[in-house]
Amino acid sequence: MAERKRQANIGGGRKVVRQLKLSVAQDTALRVHADELGVSVQRLLVESTLSEFQGETVTERRDLLTALFQLQRGLAAAGNNINQIARATNATGEIQGELHASLDHLRGTVARIDAALDSLRIVGEPS
């Protein structure tokens, strides 16, 4: 299911209206950025402004989770490769040539996971 471009409805609605004057270039830049993120300009403005106080925006959180799931699949594949290499090593008594490359891949994946986790900001958690 595709994510909404608009913000979720809230009880009582949104009663406050703000007017904003922009140059054509500013408006174009906002529209392009909002389209890239798949959100409305209004949602982009609210999320990007309040994210400093409320943690990641919904869009940022979704992108981070997507990246973490991709890394998880990569980690599982690397683990599977290492298991196969270990099985062959146990059977033959010889260290397989692919072991070093697989371990390097695994270390790189773990480093990317660490970086992704470090980029998560949790509201109220000290930096």
Side-chain angles (χ1 to χ4, degrees):
M1 183 173 164
E3 185 176 332
R4 290 173 55 129
K5 279 189 102 159
R6 296 181 45 190
Q7 298 176 67
N9 295 338
I10 61 171
R14 292 181 172 84
K15 308 259 187 235
V16 177
V17 175
R18 297 268 179 220
Q19 283 189 322
L20 180 65
K21 290 186 178 185
L22 302 168
S23 69
V24 172
Q26 290 171 324
D27 183 57
T28 301
L30 282 172
R31 287 177 188 272
V32 167
H33 190 52
D35 284 345
E36 288 172 353
L37 294 174
V39 298
S40 67
V41 171
Q42 293 83 345
R43 181 174 178 174
L44 171 67
L45 291 172
V46 170
E47 284 187 352
S48 61
T49 302
L50 297 180
S51 67
E52 180 180 343
F53 305 106
Q54 298 175 344
E56 293 87 21
T57 65
V58 173
T59 304
E60 291 168 335
R61 175 73 54 172
R62 181 195 66 219
D63 292 345
L64 284 170
L65 288 173
T66 299
L68 284 172
F69 283 126
Q70 290 171 344
L71 289 170
Q72 180 184 36
R73 283 193 299 274
L75 188 58
N80 186 43
N81 288 347
I82 291 171
N83 278 339
Q84 290 174 355
I85 292 168
R87 199 172 299 121
T89 299
N90 287 336
T92 65
E94 295 178 16
I95 294 178
Q96 304 299 306
E98 304 89 21
L99 178 61
H100 296 292
S102 292
L103 288 174
D104 287 344
H105 177 72
L106 181 62
R107 287 183 192 108
T109 301
V110 169
R112 289 193 306 277
I113 290 171
D114 288 343
L117 291 173
D118 287 343
S119 72
L120 290 173
R121 297 178 306 217
I122 300 174
V123 177
E125 181 179 294
S127 302

